[in-house]
């Protein structure tokens, strides 16, 4: 489990996991569902990443309420606190 | 349900049948080529065997069962129990198990009934069969498990259509002279009933004209109320939360370790989900076989189909197996088995 969570490390992890769409411009305030090529399967990849990397499971409503990387960061941070 | 440890039975042999017709996800043109490639990479499902109209789950299970009985010269009079695990029965009534008892030429003194479960069905079926055999002294039983799920998947629904395949299996069980212990746990959470559901066609929502009206749910999902509807995020969250936790509980309470398991045979849902479960449990990749690349999600058939097509040779020797089924219901269960040699017939294509 990764306990060194920062916004930059989270963005790097997402880029590592999702390599078939262009995430070079991914920033804390990027609306992830508006990224070209983003599908619901990418949401599942984020859920898998949080589970294996940060040791807890996002619920369906949590992932649906996640609009930006910063939202995701805050959710993970709260859970890890 | 608490962890149970009970006298198990021998899994004598397994057969699996699939339709000949193959539908490739590389040709799924509802989505762009890029999205298709990503779907295949993420789910791991390249193609599926799809039954044409006229072939039922019972037909595939019948062929599997009759092949087992013939191949191993089993005296039909010895079969005292037949369980048909499926969510795609021949008729509203009677039970398909009764029809199969007659088609297979079994004696009348057979206990035969249906179990209406999907993804968890094989693990539940094995547990029910073993319990009844041990309690009632039934020497041989047939566990028939499968589904023709594609019949309820809308071809215009990208969230279900590329995922499911059809298969029917038969497992012959027998009472051992010296029973080994089976350990397991079975769980249910009906609050998630709508996460995988076919809404219309039974009593809660009887068939009506509206049942066949296609609605656009957005994002490439067009389906009717008689189509399978799947809430991917809910199922995913459920599976990666509950399955590893329930396996860990089983292992801890029976003082077992996943390191000592020879093979962890999971329901074949999708590769991302199964790999997340595997990584959480820290099971080595070589211990986790996959058949979903070739067959997709085949519901209650997926575990025996994987055993037949991916572990046939290895199962010829004694193995410590962890079987795990999870999904529609929501229903899930795990079974830890020290198996003797299991005979697997080559895959049957119909």
């Amino acid at each position: 489990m990764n306990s060194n969570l920062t916004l930059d490390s989270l963005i790097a992890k997402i880029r590592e996991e999702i390599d078939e769409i262009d995430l070079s411009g991914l920033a804390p305030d990027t609306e992830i569902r508006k990224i070209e090529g983003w599908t619901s399967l990418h949401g599942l990849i984020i859920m898998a990443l949080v589970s294996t990397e940060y040791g807890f499971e996002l619920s369906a409503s949590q992932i649906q309420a996640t609009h930006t990387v910063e939202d995701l960061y805050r959710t993970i941070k709260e859970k890890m606190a | 349900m608490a962890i149970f440890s009970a006298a198990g039975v021998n899994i004598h042999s397994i057969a699996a049948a699939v339709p000949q017709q193959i539908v490739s996800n590389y040709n799924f043109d509802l989505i762009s080529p890029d999205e298709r490639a990503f779907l295949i990479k993420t789910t791991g499902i390249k193609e599926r065997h799809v039954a044409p109209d006229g072939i039922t789950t019972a037909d595939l299970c019948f062929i599997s069962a009759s092949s087992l009985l013939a191949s191993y010269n089993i005296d039909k009079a010895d079969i005292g129990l037949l369980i048909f695990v499926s969510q795609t029965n021949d008729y509203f009534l009677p039970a398909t198990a009764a029809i199969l008892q007659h088609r297979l030429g079994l004696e009348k003194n057979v206990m035969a009934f249906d179990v209406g479960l999907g993804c968890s069905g094989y693990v539940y079926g094995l547990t029910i069969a073993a319990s009844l055999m041990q309690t009632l002294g039934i020497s041989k039983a047939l566990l028939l498990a499968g589904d023709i799920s594609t019949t309820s998947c809308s071809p215009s629904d990208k969230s279900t259509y590329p995922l499911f395949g059809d298969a029917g299996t038969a497992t012959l069980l027998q009472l051992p002279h010296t029973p080994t212990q089976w350990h397991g746990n079975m769980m249910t959470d009906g609050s998630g009933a709508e996460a995988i559901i076919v809404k219309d066609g039974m009593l809660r929502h009887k068939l009506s004209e509206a049942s066949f009206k296609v609605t656009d749910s957005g994002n490439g999902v067009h389906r009717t109320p008689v189509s399978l509807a799947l809430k991917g995020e809910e199922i995913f969250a459920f599976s990666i939360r509950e399955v590893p936790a329930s396996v860990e509980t089983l292992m801890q309470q029976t003082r077992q370790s996943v390191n000592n398991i020879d093979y962890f045979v999971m329901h074949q849902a999708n590769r991302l989900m199964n790999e997340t479960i595997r990584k959480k449990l820290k099971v080595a990749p070589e211990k986790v076989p996959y058949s979903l690349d070739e067959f997709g999600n085949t519901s209650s058939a997926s575990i025996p189909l994987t055993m037949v097509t991916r572990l046939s040779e290895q199962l010829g020797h004694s193995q410590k197996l962890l079987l795990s089924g999870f999904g529609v219901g929501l229903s899930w269960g795990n079974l830890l088995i020290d198996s003797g040699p299991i005979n697997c017939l080559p895959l049957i294509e119909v």
Side-chain angles (χ1 to χ4, degrees):
Chain A
M1 199 196 323
N2 188 336
S3 55
N4 300 319
L5 175 70
T6 63
L7 258 170
D8 284 346
S9 69
L10 182 59
I11 287 171
K13 282 279 169 205
I14 293 171
R15 285 193 183 125
E16 250 176 62
E17 293 297 319
I18 299 172
D19 57 3
E20 65 290 317
I21 54 176
D22 181 11
L23 293 181
S24 56
L26 193 64
D29 60 350
T30 305
E31 294 254 2
I32 51 177
R33 284 184 193 78
K34 291 186 179 165
I35 296 169
E36 194 177 347
W38 188 272
T39 69
S40 58
L41 277 177
H42 292 99
L44 302 188
I45 292 175
I46 297 290
M47 294 169 83
L49 166 70
V50 170
S51 176
T52 51
E53 198 67 27
Y54 302 105
F56 74 96
E57 285 70 45
L58 290 169
S59 66
S61 55
Q62 278 174 318
I63 192 72
Q64 284 154 10
T66 299
H67 301 291
T68 65
V69 179
E70 198 160 10
D71 291 341
L72 181 63
Y73 171 78
R74 280 203 209 101
T75 306
I76 299 171
K77 201 80 183 166
E78 276 169 26
K79 275 277 187 183
M80 290 172 73
Chain B
M1 178 187 189
I3 302 293
F4 68 84
S5 294
V9 295
N10 279 347
I11 301 176
H12 174 275
S13 48
I14 308 176
V18 294
Q20 273 184 346
Q21 179 180 229
I22 293 171
V23 174
S24 169
N25 281 346
Y26 289 103
N27 299 327
F28 184 49
D29 55 12
L30 191 71
I31 54 179
S32 70
D34 283 351
E35 197 178 338
R36 223 177 291 158
F38 176 57
L39 173 96
I40 291 166
K41 179 185 157 196
T42 309
T43 63
I45 301 167
K46 294 176 184 167
E47 60 189 31
R48 302 156 295 113
H49 289 249
V50 174
D53 283 347
I55 289 188
T56 71
T57 307
D59 293 336
L60 297 177
C61 288
F62 168 76
I63 290 162
S64 296
S66 47
S67 300
L68 280 188
L69 296 173
S71 298
Y72 300 108
N73 292 316
I74 303 297
D75 185 349
K76 292 178 182 179
D78 289 344
I79 307 288
L81 171 66
L82 186 158
I83 301 175
F84 179 68
V85 180
S86 184
Q87 297 187 127
T88 44
N89 294 1
D90 274 6
Y91 300 103
F92 203 97
L93 57 89
T96 306
I99 294 166
L100 284 165
Q101 172 272 336
H102 176 65
R103 282 181 75 182
L104 287 165
L106 304 183
E107 302 274 333
K108 288 181 186 171
N109 59 352
V110 170
M111 178 189 285
F113 58 90
D114 294 351
V115 172
L117 289 170
C119 319
S120 64
Y122 189 67
V123 173
Y124 270 73
L126 282 176
T127 307
I128 296 166
S131 305
L132 285 171
M133 291 170 76
Q134 290 288 357
T135 308
L136 305 178
I138 297 167
S139 63
K140 285 189 174 64
L142 277 171
L143 171 63
L144 310 183
D147 264 312
I148 295 201
S149 303
T150 58
T151 193
S152 58
C153 290
S154 163
S156 306
D157 181 351
K158 72 173 186 180
S159 72
T160 59
Y161 186 74
L163 305 183
F164 289 91
D166 303 325
T169 66
T171 302
L172 179 65
L173 304 166
Q174 62 183 17
L175 264 187
H177 297 298
T178 315
T180 56
Q181 287 290 103
W182 282 11
H183 307 284
N185 50 353
M186 309 285 142
M187 284 72 52
T188 308
D189 180 5
S191 72
E194 298 216 355
I196 312 179
I197 193 167
V198 177
K199 275 215 165 155
D200 281 18
M202 296 287 270
L203 299 190
R204 183 64 60 198
H205 299 285
K206 290 184 181 177
L207 284 179
S208 66
E209 267 183 43
S211 302
F212 300 97
K213 194 176 168 206
V214 177
T215 54
D216 180 357
S217 307
N219 293 320
V221 176
H222 298 81
R223 61 181 171 233
T224 70
V226 290
S227 309
L228 181 77
L230 189 152
K231 293 179 181 169
E233 287 159 347
E234 284 189 23
I235 287 295
F236 196 84
F238 149 74
S239 302
I240 65 173
R241 182 182 66 241
E242 299 293 352
V243 177
S246 65
V247 169
E248 277 171 0
T249 304
L250 174 62
M251 291 297 160
Q252 282 163 8
Q253 294 196 12
T254 55
R255 292 188 176 83
Q256 306 270 344
S257 162
V258 289
N259 297 327
N260 299 330
I261 292 165
D262 293 309
Y263 294 101
F264 178 27
V265 190
M266 271 188 271
H267 165 61
Q268 303 286 291
N270 74 62
R271 197 172 179 94
L272 177 67
M273 184 189 289
N274 288 29
E275 276 296 285
T276 305
I277 294 168
R278 181 191 68 72
K279 286 176 190 169
K280 289 196 74 173
L281 288 168
K282 298 184 172 60
V283 182
E286 61 272 18
K287 293 183 174 182
V288 182
Y290 283 98
S291 65
L292 47 69
D293 55 327
E294 211 180 334
F295 304 105
N297 179 340
T298 54
S299 187
S300 58
S302 76
I303 292 175
L305 181 62
T306 302
M307 292 166 79
V308 162
T309 58
R310 299 294 184 265
L311 294 177
S312 172
E313 200 181 316
Q314 295 89 328
L315 292 175
H317 311 284
S318 298
Q319 305 285 1
K320 186 181 275 292
L321 302 174
L322 174 60
L323 311 180
S324 182
F326 46 89
V328 61
L330 301 168
S331 170
W332 66 110
N334 310 297
L335 202 49
L336 191 57
I337 293 173
D338 284 307
S339 81
I342 300 172
N343 304 290
C344 294
L345 287 184
L347 181 69
I348 302 161
E349 295 201 33
V350 180

